[in-house]
C-alpha cells in the first residue's frame, strides 16, 4: 500500500486567522457555496500538479480539481506558458481575436460535426445564454429540466424555493424526475406548444451522479423533436468523459451544448455550441438579434490556456483517465462503499458528509465539499491513485477496513 500523506493538521493557526479576517468582509469568509465545508473550510495557498497546499502547510492530493475543472491538475507548465504568452500580448481587447476562432475550431473538430460557438465566463453564464438562444429560436418560454439537477446560478434554473427568485420566473420552468419517461411524455402532452427546450445534464451530479437511462434520453429527443423544442445538453461536468461529451455515448446530437470548467484550462470560461441556424440568433446584423455583450467573453488568455489544455486532453488521455476512475470505483464498490459516476468522475456518499470530508482531508485527500465529488486529473501518479483509494477505503469502508 502506498504511504498516506501527512495526516491530521498539526497547526491551524493561519487558517484560523484567515477565517476570522474573512468572516468580517465575506459571508462565512468566502465567495462560493461549493467550496464551503462546515464549520469553515481551510484556505488554499498553492497548487502543484496533483497536490494542494493550504495556508498552514498541509498537503493533500487534489481529487476535487476545482469542481472537475482542472483535468491536468494545478499549474501545468504548458498551460501556464500559453497563458503567459497570451498575457504578454494583452489580456483582453474591444476587438475579437484569432484565439477565439482557433478555440472554436478545436471544439468543433472534437465534436466532429458542423457547429458554431459563443463563449462566456462561466457555466452559469453559458446556461443562461443557451436558454435565451433556445427561447429566441423557438419563440417559446417554457424550459423542462430534470428535478434536482444543478445548472449553476441562473434564476431560471435554480432549484425551487431558492430565496430571491420571483415566482413568475419559477413558473417558466418545469421539472421532471430523472428517468421518469411517463412524466416527460405528459409534460409534452400538456405543454407542447409552450416548450422551448429540454435542459438535461446526462449525469446530474446533485441528483446522484448516475447517467440518465438511454430510454429516457430517447424519450427526451423524440418528444422534443415532435414538438419543435430544442434539446440543450449541459456538459459542464460530463465533457471530461469524451471528446464529444457524454452525449456521444447516447448517439445524441444536442441542438445546443453547454461547456465550461475543464475547457478553460483553469481559467474562467463557458461556451455554447450548436447548429449555426440556432446560434444565428446572436448575429448582430439581424433586425432583432440577442444583444449579448460580455466584456471578458473569449478573452485571449482563457482561449489560449483552454486550447492547450484541450489539445493535451486528447482521446487517449481521456480514455486513460476514465480507466483510472473506473478502477477506483470498482475497488470501492468491491469494499461495499456507495459510489456512483462514470470514468474519471465519482461521487461518494455519507450521512454526515462534512465529517467525512474532514477525515479525508486529515488523511491527505481533498474531495468536493458537500458534493462528495471526486474528479481525477492527468497529474495524478499511480502512487497518488493508490493513496486516494486507500484513504477512501480507510474512511468509508463499512467493514471498518
Ligand atoms: C452541470 C453544471 N452546469 C453548470 C454549472 C455552473 O458552472 P459555473 O460554476 O462555472 O457557473 C455547474 C457547476 O458546477 C455544473 O455542475
Amino acid at each position: 500500500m502506498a504511504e498516506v500523506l501527512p495526516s491530521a493538521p498539526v497547526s491551524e493557526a493561519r487558517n484560523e486567522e484567515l477565517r476570522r479576517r474573512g468572516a468580517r468582509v465575506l459571508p462565512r469568509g468566502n465567495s462560493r457555496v461549493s467550496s464551503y465545508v462546515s464549520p469553515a473550510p481551510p484556505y488554499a495557498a498553492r497548487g502543484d500538479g496533483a497536490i494542494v497546499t493550504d495556508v498552514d502547510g498541509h498537503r493533500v492530493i487534489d481529487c476535487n480539481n476545482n469542481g472537475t475543472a482542472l483535468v491536468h491538475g494545478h499549474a501545468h507548465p504548458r498551460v501556464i506558458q500559453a497563458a503567459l504568452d497570451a498575457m504578454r500580448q494583452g489580456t483582453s481587447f474591444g476587438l475579437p481575436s484569432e484565439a477565439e476562432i482557433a478555440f472554436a475550431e478545436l471544439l468543433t473538430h472534437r465534436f466532429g460535426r458542423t457547429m458554431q460557438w459563443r463563449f462566456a465566463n462561466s457555466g452559469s453564464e453559458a446556461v443562461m445564454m443557451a436558454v435565451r438562444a433556445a427561447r429566441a429560436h423557438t419563440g417559446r418560454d417554457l424550459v423542462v429540466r430534470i428535478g434536482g439537477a444543478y445548472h449553476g446560478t441562473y434564476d431560471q434554473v435554480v432549484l425551487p424555493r431558492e430565496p430571491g427568485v420571483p415566482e413568475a420566473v419559477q413558473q417558466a420552468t418545469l421539472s421532471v424526475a430523472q428517468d421518469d419517461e411517463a412524466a416527460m411524455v405528459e409534460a409534452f402532452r400538456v405543454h407542447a406548444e409552450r416548450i422551448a427546450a429540454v435542459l438535461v445534464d446526462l449525469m446530474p451530479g446533485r441528483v446522484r451522479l448516475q447517467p440518465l437511462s438511454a430510454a429516457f434520453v430517447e424519450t427526451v429527443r423524440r418528444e422534443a423533436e415532435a414538438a419543435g423544442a430544442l434539446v440543450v445538453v449541459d456538459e459542464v461536468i460530463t465533457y471530461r468523459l469524451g471528446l464529444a461529451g457524454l452525449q456521444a455515448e447516447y448517439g445524441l446530437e444536442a441542438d445546443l451544448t453547454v461547456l465550461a470548467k475543464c475547457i478553460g484550462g483553469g481559467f474562467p470560461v463557458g461556451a455554447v455550441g450548436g447548429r449555426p441556424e440556432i446560434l444565428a440568433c446572436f448575429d448582430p446584423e439581424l433586425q432583432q438579434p440577442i444583444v449579448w455583450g460580455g466584456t471578458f467573453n473569449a478573452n485571449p488568455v482563457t482561449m489560449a490556456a483552454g486550447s492547450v489544455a484541450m489539445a493535451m486532453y486528447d482521446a487517449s488521455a481521456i480514455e486513460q483517465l476514465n480507466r483510472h476512475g473506473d478502477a477506483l470505483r470498482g475497488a470501492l464498490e468491491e469494499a461495499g462503499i456507495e459510489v456512483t459516476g462514470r470514468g474519471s468522475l465519482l461521487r461518494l456518499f455519507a450521512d454526515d458528509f462534512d465529517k467525512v470530508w474532514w477525515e479525508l482531508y486529515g488523511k491527505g485527500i481533498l474531495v468536493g465539499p458537500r458534493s462528495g465529488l471526486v474528479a481525477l486529473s492527468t497529474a495524478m501518479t499511480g502512487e497518488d491513485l493508490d493513496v486516494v483509494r486507500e484513504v477512501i477505503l480507510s474512511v468509508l469502508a463499512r467493514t471498518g477496513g
Side-chain angles (χ1 to χ4, degrees):
M1 176 190 139
E3 202 189 328
V4 171
L5 285 175
S7 63
V10 185
S11 154
E12 275 281 296
R14 182 87 178 113
N15 271 309
E16 274 307 316
E17 181 196 333
L18 290 186
R19 284 173 189 134
R20 274 196 304 276
R21 221 176 101 200
R24 279 185 227 121
V25 284
L26 305 158
R28 288 275 170 195
N30 74 89
S31 299
R32 195 179 165 196
V33 72
S34 28
S35 54
Y36 184 74
V37 59
S38 197
Y43 288 81
R46 59 174 296 148
D48 308 273
I51 304 295
V52 164
T53 308
D54 76 20
V55 291
D56 279 310
H58 310 308
R59 287 160 52 81
V60 287
I61 298 174
D62 193 354
C63 301
N64 174 31
N65 283 299
N66 192 13
T68 79
L70 301 170
V71 273
H72 301 299
H74 296 271
H76 190 288
R78 288 185 55 195
V79 178
I80 297 300
Q81 192 58 52
L84 286 173
D85 290 347
M87 281 157 74
R88 288 194 185 98
Q89 308 292 323
T91 53
S92 60
F93 302 97
L95 291 172
S97 72
E98 183 173 346
E100 70 191 88
I101 301 174
F103 196 34
E105 286 169 346
L106 181 148
L107 293 174
T108 294
H109 181 71
R110 288 167 76 98
F111 277 83
R113 58 183 193 259
T114 306
M115 285 173 95
Q116 288 193 338
W117 299 88
R118 292 287 281 197
F119 292 108
N121 299 293
S122 68
S124 297
E125 261 186 44
V127 165
M128 198 189 298
M129 203 186 261
V131 167
R132 178 80 85 81
R135 285 174 169 156
H137 183 74
T138 58
R140 303 171 179 175
D141 288 349
L142 202 56
V143 172
V144 181
R145 50 162 294 163
I146 310 296
Y150 181 71
H151 295 284
T153 51
Y154 179 34
D155 276 7
Q156 300 269 340
V157 297
V158 297
L159 299 179
R161 290 177 296 284
E162 262 200 39
V165 180
E167 185 59 33
V169 169
Q170 297 196 26
Q171 299 302 326
T173 61
L174 197 69
S175 288
V176 167
Q178 174 167 349
D179 292 343
D180 190 340
E181 294 161 52
M184 186 59 73
V185 170
E186 181 63 7
F188 273 95
R189 192 188 65 74
V190 177
H191 302 288
E193 285 170 13
R194 289 184 52 219
I195 297 176
V198 185
L199 173 64
V200 287
D201 176 342
L202 295 166
M203 190 168 73
R206 297 276 171 101
V207 182
R208 279 189 61 79
L209 200 71
Q210 280 174 321
L212 303 190
S213 76
F216 182 72
V217 174
E218 176 49 25
T219 302
V220 168
R221 197 202 55 75
R222 188 192 63 230
E223 293 293 323
E225 190 178 304
L230 303 187
V231 176
V232 179
V233 179
D234 177 345
E235 298 248 25
V236 166
I237 281 186
T238 52
Y239 185 63
R240 262 185 168 256
L241 300 177
L243 275 183
L246 191 52
Q247 60 188 270
E249 278 191 40
Y250 290 86
L252 176 69
E253 290 194 358
D255 296 301
L256 290 172
T257 298
V258 179
L259 304 180
K261 296 205 188 241
C262 74
I263 66 163
F267 289 82
V269 76
V272 178
R275 296 203 311 273
E277 68 269 24
I278 303 172
L279 272 285
C281 57
F282 294 103
D283 177 354
E285 295 281 353
L286 287 181
Q287 210 175 3
Q288 267 202 310
I290 294 178
V291 180
W292 200 291
T295 303
F296 293 101
N297 285 4
N299 71 80
V301 181
T302 295
M303 299 292 101
S307 292
V308 167
M310 287 300 96
M312 290 191 294
Y313 199 55
D314 59 9
S316 81
I318 294 174
E319 195 268 329
Q320 194 182 25
L321 208 55
N322 283 340
R323 211 161 4 93
H324 289 160
D326 289 338
L328 175 59
R329 192 166 26 255
L332 300 180
E333 276 168 350
E334 212 167 285
I337 291 174
E338 188 180 8
V339 54
T340 55
R342 166 80 63 101
S344 68
L345 296 168
L346 300 87
R347 184 174 159 186
L348 306 173
F349 298 85
D351 290 340
D352 184 354
F353 198 79
D354 281 354
K355 183 165 166 275
V356 164
W357 188 93
W358 281 108
E359 278 181 55
L360 294 169
Y361 193 78
K363 291 190 168 189
I365 72 168
L366 168 60
V367 304
R370 308 185 127 199
S371 64
L373 198 58
V374 168
L376 306 184
S377 81
T378 62
M380 289 171 160
T381 62
E383 211 171 86
D384 292 332
L385 289 163
D386 289 344
V387 173
V388 168
R389 186 188 61 243
E390 295 304 322
V391 168
I392 297 175
L393 284 174
S394 74
V395 174
L396 281 175
R398 283 189 204 127
T399 52

